[in-house]
Amino acid sequence: MKTLPTLYRNATLCTLAGGDWGLIEHGALFSRDGRIAWLGPEAQLPIALAREAQAEHVLQGALLTPALIDCHTHLVYGGQRANEFELRLEGASYAEIAQAGGGILSSVSATRAADEAQLLDAAGRRLRNWLGEGVGTLEIKSGYGLTLTDEARCLRVARRLQERTGLSIRATFLGAHSLPPEFAGRADDYVDALCAWLRELHAQGLVDAVDAFCESIAFSPAQVRRVFTAARQLGLPVKLHAEQLSDQGGAALAAEFSALSCDHLEHLGEAGIAAMRAAGTVAVLLPGAYYFLRETRLPPVAALRAAGVPIAVSTDHNPGTSPGSSLLLTINMACTLFRLTPLEAVRGVTVNAARALGLPDRGQLAPGLRADLAVWQLDHPRELAYWFGHRPCSRLIVAGQELS
Ligand code: DI6
Ligand code: FE
């Protein structure tokens, strides 16, 4: 889409370029063709750019950051699972509910029963919460269909949400989420089937990356290896739900396949950290799931930090373990529950979230990057991690296009 050459003036820029906030007071930013063409102190704005601008926004000192990125969601599903929340409050564990046929499989039934328009409507309604919080890029995983047709429907919904909203949406195939009932007792046959589906879905242009759930209640490292081998043969990047409930050695396996990210990681050990570091794999922390499952085992934040593994933060929005719809609350939780600093948490939903999606063209403010911008009625970016239940985003711009 064509966008006008646009000038944003009198902003407090938070570039996040380099390791710090990258603040520029009394800043200006010029975008052209959906990309950032120039930024810096307004006093240094080249006169030619001021003349070229066809749209101008004077921000009166408001904060201008890169649009936020939610790099791990399961946004497309039918139904909801508030009944399981009640069961867990009465003492049942997440794994027990899953083993009794609830959990992911109850969302699979509801998703299969919904048609594409219903899934699109429900996900579209949820997505407004992200739009209102300055999120410009969002990853959506399949994994509640678990047949070729139902997975295709969910991935198509992800594609259609991008067309409908203007947000940038990445679609991840998570066929290896749970064993569907029709394959009960035949997990290896299911892995064969989903690898064949992956080839078909890829041919339809529906897949940007491949994920799997490596856990005793889901898929073994050997099975995940087969899924990843199929993905890499198609040139697709991989990521993994790893070490959420136990240490399966999933992170080291994912690193072997140069995974973009390993996500959850509460039970991650030293070997996994070393492997992720060597492979440049991002650690995606999901405090919403930790909170909602009332977990007590913290991810090894200090060891990840010491090893220099990039840390991202995401909602993990899903109906079972993280029904929250606020990336801002999630970064607050990353600080309160996981002890990230506000700078680490904000980098976790910008620079490092971009890396977790393999998108080097966003997540910071710098010339040449996409003009994915959020304007906030805040004095300092640390407030993004501080307030909760507060919506200070006043403008969202994606690829130079104003969305709200
Ligand atoms: N880990 C999670 O937290 C979600 N999926 C996964 O592999 C949970 C999905 C659900 O319970 O519906
Ligand atoms: Fe997840």
Side-chain angles (χ1 to χ4, degrees), residues 74 81 94 104 144 177 213 241 244 264 316 318-321:
H74 309 245
R81 308 225 301 268
Y94 177 68
I104 294 175
Y144 291 115
H177 195 194
F213 188 16
H241 282 72
Q244 178 184 8
H264 284 292
D316 190 21
N318 75 73
T321 65

Side-chain angles (χ1 to χ4, degrees), residues 57-306:
H57 303 287
V58 184
L59 299 183
Q60 280 152 340
L63 183 69
L64 181 67
T65 69
L68 307 187
I69 299 170
D70 194 349
C71 65
H72 178 145
T73 84
H74 309 245
L75 193 78
V76 178
Y77 54 85
Q80 46 76 23
R81 308 225 301 268
N83 61 324
E84 292 182 10
F85 180 47
E86 285 178 335
L87 288 174
R88 284 196 297 103
L89 288 168
E90 287 161 14
S93 74
Y94 177 68
E96 281 161 8
I97 292 170
Q99 272 145 10
I104 294 175
L105 291 184
S106 64
S107 293
V108 169
S109 307
T111 304
R112 288 179 179 178
D115 66 25
E116 191 164 320
Q118 289 167 327
L119 291 174
L120 182 65
D121 263 16
R125 245 175 291 121
R126 290 192 273 271
L127 196 51
R128 287 195 211 125
N129 294 313
W130 279 259
L131 267 165
E133 289 197 340
V135 176
T137 299
L138 186 103
E139 186 241 25
I140 298 178
K141 302 174 195 294
S142 68
Y144 291 115
L146 309 187
T147 67
L148 175 57
T149 323
D150 293 307
E151 288 290 294
R153 194 162 75 254
C154 294
L155 292 166
R156 265 197 314 273
V157 168
R159 290 282 186 251
R160 289 177 67 187
L161 285 169
Q162 169 164 305
E163 288 160 26
R164 184 185 265 203
T165 61
L167 291 177
S168 179
I169 292 180
R170 305 298 284 178
T172 298
F173 175 60
L174 177 56
H177 195 194
S178 190
L179 188 63
E182 53 282 11
F183 281 89
R186 296 187 296 128
D188 284 313
D189 292 348
Y190 179 62
V191 172
D192 287 340
L194 76 89
C195 290
W197 302 343
L198 171 59
R199 287 185 276 278
E200 173 64 30
L201 296 166
H202 174 63
Q204 291 177 29
L206 291 173
V207 184
D208 300 315
V210 175
D211 194 349
F213 188 16
C214 186
E215 195 54 67
S216 56
I217 55 167
F219 295 92
S220 70
Q223 289 160 345
V224 170
R225 178 179 293 280
R226 285 164 55 210
V227 177
F228 282 1
T229 303
R232 298 306 288 166
Q233 276 165 0
L234 297 170
L236 288 168
V238 301
K239 38 184 54 241
L240 189 65
H241 282 72
E243 277 63 289
Q244 178 184 8
L245 307 170
S246 62
D247 187 353
Q248 301 275 317
L253 168 66
E256 236 185 87
F257 287 83
S258 307
L260 290 173
S261 72
C262 291
D263 305 38
H264 284 292
L265 302 174
E266 280 82 350
H267 292 258
L268 179 67
E270 280 303 327
I273 295 175
M276 287 174 67
R277 179 212 179 131
T281 299
V282 176
V284 178
L285 304 184
L286 306 168
Y290 172 91
Y291 159 79
F292 193 66
L293 291 179
R294 303 183 70 239
E295 296 288 348
T296 49
R297 168 124 176 184
L298 289 163
V301 171
L304 288 165
R305 195 186 270 139

Side-chain angles (χ1 to χ4, degrees), residues 10 30 33-34 40 50-51 118 126 218 234 242 259 285 287 308 315 323 334 367:
N10 193 11
F30 181 82
D33 300 328
R51 290 209 185 105
Q118 289 167 327
R126 290 192 273 271
L234 297 170
L285 304 184
T315 60

